[in-house]
Amino acid sequence: MLETFRGRLALLYIGIEFGILLFSALLIYVFLSRQVYQNMDEVLLSHAQAVIQDLEHNNSFYWFSILEAYQRQTGDSLELISANGTIQYASDKSIIDAGGNGVSHALGQAMNGSAATFISTESLLGKQNLRVLAMPIHAGHHIVATLLVAHKSSEIQAFFKLLYLIGGILGMISIVLSSWAGYMMAKRALRPIKIIQKTARKVAQGDLTQRLPNHAKERELQDLMEDLNSMFESLESSFKSQKRFTADASHELRMPLTILKGEMEVALRHPRSEEEYRFIFKQHLKTVSRMQYIVDDLLTLARSDAGMLELQQQTVDLSLLLQEVGQQHLILLSERHIHLEMEIQDDMEVMGDSSHLERVFFNLLGNTHKYAPEHSTVWLTAYVQKETVCITVRDEGPGIGLQHQALLFNRFYRVDDSRARKKGSAGLGLAICKHIVEVHQGHIDIESEEGKGASFIVTLPLSSGNPSHQARLQ
Ligand code: ADP
């Protein structure tokens, strides 16, 4: 029972309530007994005073009949002890014997002149408890005897017994009820936790579609369930994309491998001339290079996913970098009679890794080489805009439809699968570009319409180290 939260809560309720009950019983006893004794003492005193007055005004010859009359009238026990300690009158059995030390002490006090001494022979709830009053009887200035008046507290004891019995029964009922209520409340409050546990187990077993029904009334639980649901969602989506990525990657590598295997088998069927072998090897080299290119890209993405992409943080002269990348593509593009127009502002510096940044613009210009038509123009422009550098690579190619634009930066996404594949596209370049730009705190975007060319716009934050940039930034 102690192992569950419900059980512990119910036990806690029992403990607290038991403590409260015990404390209240104690308080009731203390206050009530004080009140009871006070009332009893007042009655005893008035009786004793009346008897003593009578005794003091009458000859000791009549004392016996006076004491008997009072005893009958009040029902109290009376005892008269002379100054030398002999019992001269005892209404029933001796109070001194019944009361023990307490009564002897009170007797002593009275003999010494104390006006009225009250004692109880036992606790108020004791079976034989007597409330005893000891008072001296004077003759002139001398104490001639002591009067003991005693009253049994048995009726009070019965009242207390009844009180504690009723209190005890009610207390027990309330303990049982409240611990049951505590148990049920805890059970109800923990119901959502059971649901969470069940769902988490199913998710752990591989069913990532499981979601928590969010109809908890408590805000804290609602928040927890929402957070868990979004965690399950992101788990599902990352698991799906991981699966897709693995499937796409193996598919992408399987194809060239199958081609390679087929070509080799055909080549080996009969002996060939050196010229033929040279031609075949050239073809194979192309296929292997393409596979190497894909594997390199996959490695880059895997490293960046694992946060292991090594990025140098240094000031990069972006103007120079773009000029160089542009120059390298001038020749490449001119092979397809594509004219490259460059407008690059001087002295633009950014913080980052030059080789990775170079890769971004190589990919973008490489795509124009693949998709721009012959005798068209490609523009590479770069200028400072507020606190960023804005670089645009624009071509007059087939463009990209709006429906593809949001997915274009996903891994292995190709607009026209077969056309792009023929051009050696695996669909990883733009995903790598996006990742590199984002780790440089930049953005990459596309503006395009089908049939009207495409513009890839990269924005990167300016490095604040360059004094001319600082002037611009102010
Ligand atoms: P890869 O690196 O294999 O070429 P990318 O990620 O760079 O792949 O490109 C993904 C797809 O985006 C390409 O297959 C192509 O369909 C489309 N694409 C990229 N650049 C252009 C462009 N300049 N014009 C038209 N389509 C493009």
Side-chain angles (χ1 to χ4, degrees):
M1 188 170 182
L2 271 174
E3 275 161 24
T4 63
F5 178 63
R6 284 165 292 177
R8 279 215 292 273
L9 200 70
L11 272 184
L12 188 75
Y13 271 121
I14 294 176
I16 292 175
E17 206 138 330
F18 193 70
I20 293 173
L21 270 178
L22 218 63
F23 184 66
S24 356
L26 211 73
L27 271 187
I28 289 173
Y29 177 76
V30 169
F31 283 112
L32 273 184
S33 60
R34 191 183 282 181
Q35 193 61 43
V36 164
Y37 278 141
Q38 203 174 329
N39 293 343
M40 225 187 261
D41 291 352
E42 276 169 20
V43 174
L44 279 178
L45 188 67
S46 75
H47 286 177
Q49 278 169 344
V51 179
I52 286 172
Q53 212 174 16
D54 252 8
L55 295 176
E56 283 177 350
H57 288 95
N58 283 289
N59 192 298
S60 58
F61 180 74
Y62 298 105
W63 283 11
F64 189 86
S65 53
I66 292 170
L67 288 167
E68 282 234 302
Y70 268 100
Q71 199 279 325
R72 268 198 307 274
Q73 199 183 322
T74 59
D76 291 338
S77 301
L78 293 173
E79 198 163 317
L80 190 72
I81 295 109
S82 68
N84 60 15
T86 50
I87 298 173
Q88 295 198 337
Y89 173 84
S91 59
D92 37 45
K93 62 180 168 126
S94 165
I95 298 172
I96 300 174
D97 291 347
N101 286 342
V103 178
S104 310
H105 172 75
L107 206 57
Q109 294 276 91
M111 292 290 196
N112 288 334
S114 179
T117 308
F118 293 97
I119 59 114
S120 294
T121 55
E122 288 178 21
S123 80
L124 185 61
L125 298 178
K127 257 188 187 169
Q128 306 299 328
N129 181 35
L130 289 173
R131 187 65 175 167
V132 181
L133 165 63
M135 274 185 91
I137 302 169
H138 293 88
H141 291 295
H142 298 286
I143 294 170
V144 288
T146 300
L147 178 72
L148 293 175
V149 189
H151 187 85
K152 270 194 174 173
S153 63
S154 44
E155 328 84 88
I156 304 297
Q157 189 196 339
F159 164 73
F160 267 95
K161 266 188 182 162
L162 191 68
L163 185 77
Y164 281 131
L165 186 73
I166 294 171
I169 291 171
L170 286 180
M172 282 305 154
I173 291 172
S174 88
I175 283 179
V176 171
L177 279 181
S178 65
S179 54
W180 176 80
Y183 185 83
M184 292 318 277
M185 263 164 60
K187 199 173 164 185
R188 200 176 158 274
L190 292 176
R191 203 175 296 151
I193 302 218
K194 267 257 165 258
I195 298 172
I196 293 174
Q197 189 192 22
K198 262 190 194 167
T199 315
R201 262 194 203 148
K202 282 185 188 163
V203 171
Q205 280 159 7
D207 184 0
L208 297 171
T209 55
Q210 286 290 326
R211 294 292 177 273
L212 292 163
N214 199 354
H215 32 66
K217 288 192 187 82
E218 297 79 7
R219 263 263 307 283
E220 298 88 337
L221 278 172
Q222 274 179 10
D223 291 350
L224 175 70
M225 288 193 165
E226 263 169 37
D227 289 349
L228 283 171
N229 272 343
S230 62
M231 189 182 92
F232 294 153
E233 233 151 72
S234 71
L235 253 179
E236 191 189 2
S237 87
S238 78
F239 188 71
K240 268 187 186 163
S241 70
Q242 202 70 36
K243 253 170 108 174
R244 202 169 41 233
F245 181 65
T246 318
D248 286 345
S250 24
H251 176 73
E252 216 49 52
L253 289 170
R254 214 179 62 188
M255 263 231 316
L257 273 174
T258 317
I259 295 169
L260 204 62
K261 191 174 166 241
E263 282 176 354
M264 283 175 168
E265 279 167 358
V266 171
L268 286 171
R269 258 181 216 156
H270 48 82
R272 292 170 195 277
S273 67
E274 194 191 323
E275 198 71 358
E276 278 178 309
Y277 278 127
R278 198 173 278 281
F279 176 77
I280 291 166
F281 277 142
K282 263 191 184 168
Q283 292 297 314
H284 290 176
L285 202 62
K286 256 191 203 167
T287 317
V288 171
S289 304
R290 182 168 136 65
M291 280 166 60
Q292 191 181 18
Y293 183 71
I294 295 172
V295 170
D296 282 350
D297 279 356
L298 284 174
L299 200 66
T300 308
L301 284 168
R303 278 207 183 115
S304 69
D305 282 349
M308 283 162 58
L309 199 67
E310 279 171 26
L311 257 191
Q312 292 203 338
Q313 276 297 319
Q314 58 194 26
T315 312
V316 179
D317 186 340
L318 196 69
S319 306
L320 193 67
L321 183 143
L322 290 171
Q323 290 284 358
E324 283 171 5
V325 177
Q327 288 300 327
Q328 285 165 23
H329 278 81
L330 263 180
I331 312 153
L332 209 67
L333 289 168
S334 68
E335 281 172 9
R336 293 193 60 231
H337 312 287
I338 298 169
H339 170 64
L340 177 64
E341 190 84 48
M342 289 198 283
E343 265 179 52
I344 298 163
Q345 196 174 316
D346 289 332
D347 288 334
M348 294 184 301
E349 285 181 353
V350 293
M351 282 302 288
D353 189 304
S354 58
S355 64
H356 281 104
L357 287 171
E358 203 176 71
R359 181 158 193 189
V360 171
F361 302 108
F362 248 95
N363 278 351
L364 295 179
L365 282 169
N367 280 348
T368 65
H369 180 259
K370 283 183 210 160
Y371 302 106
E374 289 193 350
H375 305 288
S376 65
T377 307
V378 168
W379 286 266
L380 171 62
T381 56
Y383 54 90
V384 171
Q385 197 180 49
K386 290 187 184 158
E387 288 141 41
T388 56
V389 187
C390 179
I391 309 112
T392 309
V393 178
R394 181 157 83 86
D395 64 44
E396 295 176 309
I400 294 147
L402 212 62
Q403 72 275 25
H404 300 293
Q405 290 181 13
L407 304 164
L408 204 64
F409 297 98
N410 288 356
R411 295 163 188 196
F412 293 109
Y413 190 81
R414 286 170 290 220
V415 174
D416 179 342
D417 214 27
S418 57
R419 189 187 68 183
R421 204 189 288 273
K422 270 186 210 142
K423 292 183 187 289
S425 164
L428 292 172
L430 287 176
I432 293 175
C433 288
K434 185 173 157 67
H435 184 81
I436 294 175
V437 170
E438 282 176 355
V439 292
H440 282 83
Q441 268 85 50
H443 276 296
I444 182 162
D445 240 319
I446 173 167
E447 275 177 15
S448 178
E449 247 181 79
E450 224 163 333
K452 290 190 180 169
S455 297
F456 286 89
I457 303 142
V458 175
T459 47
L460 290 167
L462 265 179
S463 149
S464 48
N466 188 323
S468 66
H469 297 159
Q470 271 182 352
R472 274 191 208 121
L473 290 174
Q474 277 158 15

